[in-house]
Amino acid sequence: MTRVLFVSTSTGPLFFAFVKNKINLQKWDKMSFLVDSCIMFFSQVLFFGGGWVFFLKQLFRDYEVHHSVVLLVFSVTFSVSCNMFELIIFEILGIMDTSSRYFHWKLGLFAILFVLIVVLPFYIAYFIIGNLRFVPRKKFIQGILTFVAWCVFMYFFWKIGDPFPITSPKHGIFSMEQCIGRVGVIGVTLMALLSGFGAVNYPYTSMFYFIRHVTDSEIQGIEKRLMQTMDMLINKKKRICLAKRESLRQASQNIGGGIWGMLKTVTSGGPSENISLLKQENSALEELSRQLFLEMVDLNNAQERIEYSKTFKGKYFNFLGYFFSIYCVWKIFISTINIIFDRVGRVDPVTRGIEIAVNYLGIQFDVKFWSQQISFLLIGIIIVTSIRGLLITLTRFFYAIASSKSSNIIVLCLAQIMGMYFVSSVLLMRMNMPLEYRSIITEVLGELQFNFYHRWFDVIFLVSALSSIGFLYIAHKQAASSID
Amino acid sequence: MMSSVEKVKILVVGDSGVGKTSLVQLICHNEPTSNPGWTIGCSVEVKLHEYKAGTPAEKTYFLELWDVGGSTSHTNSRSIFYNPVHGVILVHDQTNRKSHQNLRKWLAEVLNKDNMKLLGNGYEFDPEQFAGSQVPILVIGTKLDLAESIREKGVSRSSSIAEECGADEINLDCQQVKSLAPGSTNAVKLSRFFDKVIEKRFNSGREGNWCSDWLRMS
């Protein structure tokens, strides 16, 4: 359902923009600016709705929304982030006037920086302080503490920029370029970490080569062991229960006995010793039962994967997995080359592909037209897959760690991650676009050291991919050995 | 001595984080817990219960309360705990309406345990199916203290699962020992539920109720 919504929100504004281009409007500057702004506003509303629905139906599936400001802030972040992607697409397709595009770029950039640096950290601090037990309940004190926390955040945010060659000296102290530079560093790090892990994890989960073979008898064996452990645990708890009742009865009988009664309870101290020993055995058994249960979950998951691999969908993804793993190996290789030889690719893949096609393969076609179409397709695919991939990862992350107390804080942190991720993907996407479309990004983002960001991405990607390989290898070996 | 006391098994199920572990601690040991971690798998507590306390037919039974961990990632392995089951306690969090809506899914999961692998992940609760199985149910809402601060006025809910199943409902705060003080309404409802479970388990073969037993004995 979210897929349908997503497709409709992305094609809606495109449709309107195409209609406007086809109809020959008088080149009246103010009028066209108004129309462009209406298009942008309309698409913003659509993206806002998309974020709203995603939040309610997917993320907050098991929780009730107590503070609607969380829902609002999340949807606003999503809509402003998607706005930037939309502007890139408009840039490639030549929709809207250059001047209004430039204006909306600046506006969108200011909006997202405001949300990422001021709004989100403020609300995250507010909810964290609200959850702490030792803070008094008065709103005024909480507000002051939140503001102090936000100032601390701003200090560290500024400090992050120091070790990196982010800005050139001609920028002012509090300019947008400084902020973008820092947001870019954090976002690029996040992107590289997630890409590195995803590049290694996707082939591992989708290819059959890595599936553990689990038989029914193994699962039944573990089930039997688990139930035996539970039975032993229950028997011991029953003994404790009965012993407690016995000692209560004895104590009530001896109340009237005076000194003689006290002597009696002291000498018959047998049951109480048993109780503490039994409790120790119980905690060991409980730990064992937890481990057996987790092993059983692993075995059941492995069996589900085997079942899935027999279906058509499973086979299709396995096939894709092979291609993707080749792509991942190539990407790791290229990152290493880039770092060793200090090389940053200057030519984007579209132009390089067309060059090869024209010069080596001798295919003749209208370069300008096709370069536009292919860039549109390539950039569009990159945008859609990165949005979808990020939303799926965030959802899975949220389900794993959220509880009813921390759900607000975690979802706001995820919104922050999402915003930073999208800003830096715009930054890095510049390299995938032909020269004529790069200019707007360069112009809008100011003179950032783009080469630095690509190099930083390569480094973190390599580190993340290699450590994921190591991590998965250890986990795989451990899982295989625990069954035997 | 232990083998002479009969037992019944009661499942305590509900979403992750609603307070099942605290509730079971309160029922069995009469003491509140400090922060328990997430329950992995199942943790069991036992309690001695006097069936028909205060009557000549008074008998001691063991209640096994099986507190099943509610994480969604463990759904495929939970079914081994559901067999056999003599009573179900559905636990929801009063500060989170979704946990109340999810109780239907939980009941369906417990009752459909045999068909688990076939159904996949879509559980639909069917009241008629429940009527056929006749397992006694109790619905408990936790975090009463937090709920009162969030909802100042009484909010009318859509039909509660307790009404649909004809089950009793208790709302309490698991950190307060006096919630289940002997003689309080909550304690009476709980005791009545336990009696119903024992009755269904051990007297289901026989016709009629304890009245006829009493007449036969006298």
Side-chain angles (χ1 to χ4, degrees), chain B residues 22-80:
Chain B
S22 310
L23 176 71
V24 167
Q25 274 289 100
L26 184 65
I27 292 177
C28 294
H29 301 291
N30 270 325
E31 58 191 23
T33 30
S34 50
N35 261 346
W38 285 5
T39 314
I40 298 178
C42 179
S43 86
V44 189
E45 295 290 334
V46 297
K47 180 181 161 77
L48 283 167
H49 177 71
E50 302 295 333
Y51 176 53
K52 299 228 185 75
T55 67
E58 175 172 325
K59 195 173 171 200
T60 310
Y61 284 92
F62 261 127
L63 301 172
E64 295 174 6
L65 292 168
W66 290 57
D67 158 26
V68 180
S71 320
T72 33
S73 50
H74 296 162
T75 309
N76 55 3
S77 312
R78 277 197 288 256
S79 50
I80 61 163

Side-chain angles (χ1 to χ4, degrees), chain B residues 3 6 42 49 70 77 86 90 95 126 146 163 169 178 186:
Chain B
S3 51
E6 284 166 334
C42 179
H49 177 71
S77 312
H86 309 131
L90 297 172
T95 60
D126 183 11
L146 295 173
E163 290 157 13
E169 210 170 344
K178 66 173 169 38
N186 292 339

Side-chain angles (χ1 to χ4, degrees), chain A residues 447-468:
Chain A
E447 277 188 32
L448 291 179
Q449 310 264 38
F450 288 103
N451 295 342
F452 158 71
Y453 288 105
H454 290 295
R455 177 56 28 79
W456 184 246
F457 180 90
D458 285 333
V459 169
I460 303 284
F461 176 82
L462 203 61
V463 166
S464 163
L466 290 177
S467 40
S468 309

